[in-house]
Structure formats: C-alpha cells, structure tokens
Amino acid sequence: MSLRSARPVGTVRRAAFGAGAVLAALALVAGCTGSPGPTEPGPTAERPTGDTSPSEEPTPEKPTPTPTPTPTRAASNVPLTKLAPGENPPQFIIFSFDGAGWHDRWTEFREAAAQVDARFTGFLTGIYLLTDEHRDAYTGPGHAQGKASVGFGGDAATVTTLVGDLNAAYLEGHEIGTHYNGHFCADNPPGGGDWTTADWNSELDQFFGFWNGWQEINGLQDAPPLEIPASEVTGGRTPCLEGNWDQIAPAWAAHGQTYDSSIPGSGIAWPKQEYGVWEFRMQTTSSPTLGNVMAMDYNFWYKFNKAQNQPERAPEIRAAVLETYRHMYDVAFNGNRAPVLVANHFNQWSGNAFNPAAKDFMLEACGKPETICATYQDVIAWMNVQDPAVLAELQARPPVS
C-alpha cells in the first residue's frame, strides 16, 4: 500500500492524509499493508485376539482428536502493587503507533519489544480492515460514501495479513486502540473538530462494525478471524488531535472507552480523569536538539527541516530524535516520574528517520532499572490500584519538559 504523508500541529497544517491541525495538533497516519498446527491422531483402536472371526470383530471406536490448545495471551509486565506514601513509582514509557497498518513495522517492533519485555499500543485506523474493493462500507460523517483522507486496506491478502499482525501482537501483550476511520481533519472538512456527538457515535459504530464484521464485509469468511474481543479496544487518539471534547465524550462513554491520548498538553505530566476518561495529554518537551516541540515524530520532522523529504539527512534526524527521547526520559525519571509518551507512526518519512529512533530508544530504555514500557491499559490498571491519596500526590506534581 502506498504511504500517505501528514502535516504538523501548532502554527502549521498537516499535509498527510488530508489532515489539518488544531492548536498543537498534528498529523497521524501509517500505511497499511495462521492457523493452528495439525492435531495429533488419537490412539489406535486395539484389535481383538483369540478365535474371533473377522465377521465377529467389534467396530473400532473412532479416535478422539487431541484438541489444539487455545493460545494464551502474555501477562502484563506491570506489577499491580500499591506504592507506600513517598515511594517512587516506576518510570513508565508508553510507545504508541497511529494508523498501525504496516506488516513490516509490526514485525520490527514486536521483535524489538520481545528483547526487553516491552509492551506497546497500536492505534488502528478502522478502514484498514476494508479492502479497496469494499471501501463503500464506510461513510465518514459529512462525507461521501467510500471516501477518506487516507487509503483503505488494499487487497484481501493485505487485510488478512494485518489481522494476523493484530492477533499476534495482542497475544504478546500489546494493545490495540482506535485511530477512528477516515482521518478527516480541518483541511478536508468537516473534520473531527466540527463533528457532533452523533457524528462521533457514527464513526465509532463503524469502527467496531468493521472490527466485528470485516470477514463478511470483504467476502473473506474463510480467512482466519480477528481473535481480539472488541471490548479490548478501550481508548485511542483522534486524527490530527482534533475534536470538540464535550461532543466526543458521550460517544466515548457509549462505546466503553476508558482513556484518550489526543488533547494537547504542556510538558510531561501524570494523566488525570477528564471528560469521563483517563486523559493522557500529548506531551511537549524542551529538546536539546530540536528546541520546544510537541513530542510526536511528525512534529520532530517539522521542527528539524519543515518536514522536507531529505533521506540523505536521515541519520541526523534519527540522532536528534533519539536525543529528544533520552531527554524526556531523564527529566521524568529524575523529576515527577510521569509516564513518557512516545507517539510515533509506521511511516518511512525522510528516509525512515523516525522508526529507528523509536526502536533504538525502546531497546535502550525499556531494560533500565525502575523502568517499564507498558500499554495505556496496563498503566491505568496500575493507577487504579493505588491509594487515592498517593495517586493524587503524583498527579499534583508539576509537569517537566
């Protein structure tokens, strides 16, 4: 599947996927691109002995096949233990990837995570579960049927490969969230900032409709199923970080969403309950290599060279981004211990400068003492078991940058 570009937040509009930015909003999108082993035969029925003639032989019982064991999902890597008053929390790092539709990137980051017992979150663009042939199954709020600001899922093989990637990642303890569907933003109106509660309900209804019905919609009933219960999708990030939060909040509640990571924030701070969900605000940092910047790969690119495609400078960008992640970790670890958000895409922008930086940081930081690279859901589970007074003290700590 071809890649689609994007544009930054703040004072600049995104170019990717038709995405337009709101205050401090940015572009997000990645391109998209098994069966159990054979069962063992049952025991062979014994033949009778003695003088019994063949015509008198009893009919052997039909062997009972050995059932294929059901795969078990890996346990969380976050110990659900309460902090004592004054005790430091772990330094959580949450890696997330918007769009989450590229097979090679799924493989690359799953393999990296396995080396350091890391977990990460993929925010899936729902229409990646639709083949191009069946794009008319989607109608974005205020838009024509079968239209979107990003591509659809490609051919049947690409969609089924994506489903396999999602299943494998989930079994390894990674999390799948929603990046909604059509990636409509301010420069392809009406975008998320214009949508009403009814519009957001439609968008999420369709996302979960594709999740549960992708085989039937695409005529792929014989393809291996998506094994992840839809109830496991409990949060996400809006395209371009756009949304009228008062309008989207009822849709979150109606669809069982418990967290969001879309609202632009200031610095690196502990999440709080906002609009009925845990809000992991998008972070800003005072990068030693890039200056003050929203901590997302596209914004790093724009800060570096106005998002110009300069593959020959990929090593410079990679180094600058890695130093930014290191800085974010250091100020949080030595400061308020708020979770560090690594917000990335699978896109190969500017010579694939950004994925290697994220992977370098994963391999470098996730094995450090007192550090856990976890999913949003698992960090929320940890916060939920803390004494309310202890959690309130963490949330009261000033942001660091």
Side-chain angles (χ1 to χ4, degrees):
M1 166 178 310
S2 61
L3 291 181
R4 278 78 63 181
S5 58
R7 255 189 322 193
V9 299
T11 58
V12 217
R13 284 187 187 275
R14 296 187 163 237
F17 327 36
V22 294
L23 176 61
L26 55 155
L28 351 144
V29 172
C32 284
T33 32
S35 64
T39 57
E40 297 179 5
T44 303
E46 294 185 3
R47 296 178 64 85
T49 60
D51 298 331
T52 311
S53 67
S55 63
E56 295 172 329
E57 290 183 10
T59 302
E61 293 183 4
K62 185 177 181 179
T64 302
T66 303
T68 302
T70 302
T72 303
R73 191 184 186 207
S76 167
N77 60 347
V78 177
L80 296 182
T81 54
K82 287 188 175 183
L83 295 178
E87 182 182 3
N88 256 333
Q91 178 58 61
F92 294 113
I93 306 173
I94 304 177
F95 288 81
S96 64
F97 300 89
D98 292 357
W102 192 327
H103 172 66
D104 290 348
R105 297 289 80 72
W106 271 115
T107 301
E108 178 181 5
F109 280 98
R110 286 173 47 221
E111 290 176 349
Q115 296 179 48
V116 287
D117 194 30
R119 309 285 191 272
F120 62 85
T121 299
F123 289 131
L124 177 69
T125 297
I127 60 173
Y128 290 170
L129 293 173
L130 302 179
T131 62
D132 291 351
E133 182 183 359
H134 294 91
R135 61 192 300 145
D136 282 355
Y138 173 63
T139 302
H143 291 270
Q145 184 179 12
K147 301 297 183 183
S149 292
V150 294
F152 286 74
D155 60 17
T158 303
V159 171
T160 54
T161 296
L162 171 61
V163 169
D165 289 332
L166 299 174
N167 286 336
Y170 177 76
L171 286 176
E172 292 165 3
H174 306 300
E175 175 190 15
I176 311 302
T178 180
H179 195 42
Y180 301 86
N181 297 308
H183 214 283
F184 291 113
C185 300
D187 59 358
N188 190 5
D194 305 311
W195 286 354
T196 65
T197 298
D199 294 330
W200 284 110
N201 273 326
S202 172
E203 189 77 348
L204 283 170
D205 285 347
Q206 291 185 83
F207 177 91
F208 287 107
F210 305 150
W211 185 279
N212 291 317
W214 70 276
Q215 289 169 295
E216 182 177 357
I217 293 169
N218 295 311
L220 298 173
Q221 288 88 342
D222 294 334
L226 180 56
E227 301 283 3
I228 310 165
S231 59
E232 288 290 287
V233 180
T234 61
R237 180 171 293 135
T238 63
C240 307
L241 310 184
E242 288 189 14
N244 180 327
W245 313 115
D246 289 322
Q247 290 294 316
I248 195 173
W252 286 336
H255 292 84
Q257 303 299 281
T258 61
Y259 76 87
D260 172 69
S261 190
S262 306
I263 302 178
S266 178
I268 301 167
W270 279 90
K272 298 178 181 178
Q273 290 273 351
E274 301 182 58
Y275 301 99
V277 296
W278 286 100
E279 182 59 49
F280 291 76
R281 286 189 170 237
M282 293 296 293
Q283 297 174 345
T284 60
T285 188
S286 301
S287 166
T289 53
L290 299 172
N292 295 325
V293 62
M294 178 169 282
M296 181 172 258
D297 53 357
Y298 191 86
N299 291 73
F300 294 154
W301 187 19
Y302 190 87
K303 193 76 173 181
F304 183 83
N305 67 356
K306 305 294 184 185
Q308 297 179 58
N309 185 36
Q310 296 179 318
E312 70 280 4
R313 302 191 69 186
E316 295 177 67
I317 300 173
R318 176 179 178 175
V321 171
L322 179 57
E323 283 304 312
T324 301
Y325 290 144
R326 288 169 172 164
H327 170 79
M328 293 173 67
Y329 176 88
D330 288 343
V331 296
F333 186 87
N334 297 311
N336 62 9
R337 285 290 180 100
V340 170
L341 306 184
V342 176
N344 204 68
H345 296 75
F346 282 164
N347 297 60
Q348 291 190 309
W349 291 321
S350 204
N352 194 30
F354 301 94
N355 291 302
K359 186 171 75 170
D360 290 345
F361 183 60
M362 179 181 285
L363 294 172
E364 175 183 297
C366 295
K368 289 187 174 182
E370 302 181 57
T371 302
I372 304 175
C373 295
T375 66
Y376 286 91
Q377 288 181 347
D378 286 345
V379 172
I380 290 169
W382 181 90
M383 292 191 295
N384 283 335
V385 303
Q386 301 309 310
D387 182 275
V390 171
L391 182 60
E393 187 277 325
L394 296 176
Q395 293 171 323
R397 294 180 180 182
V400 297
S401 66

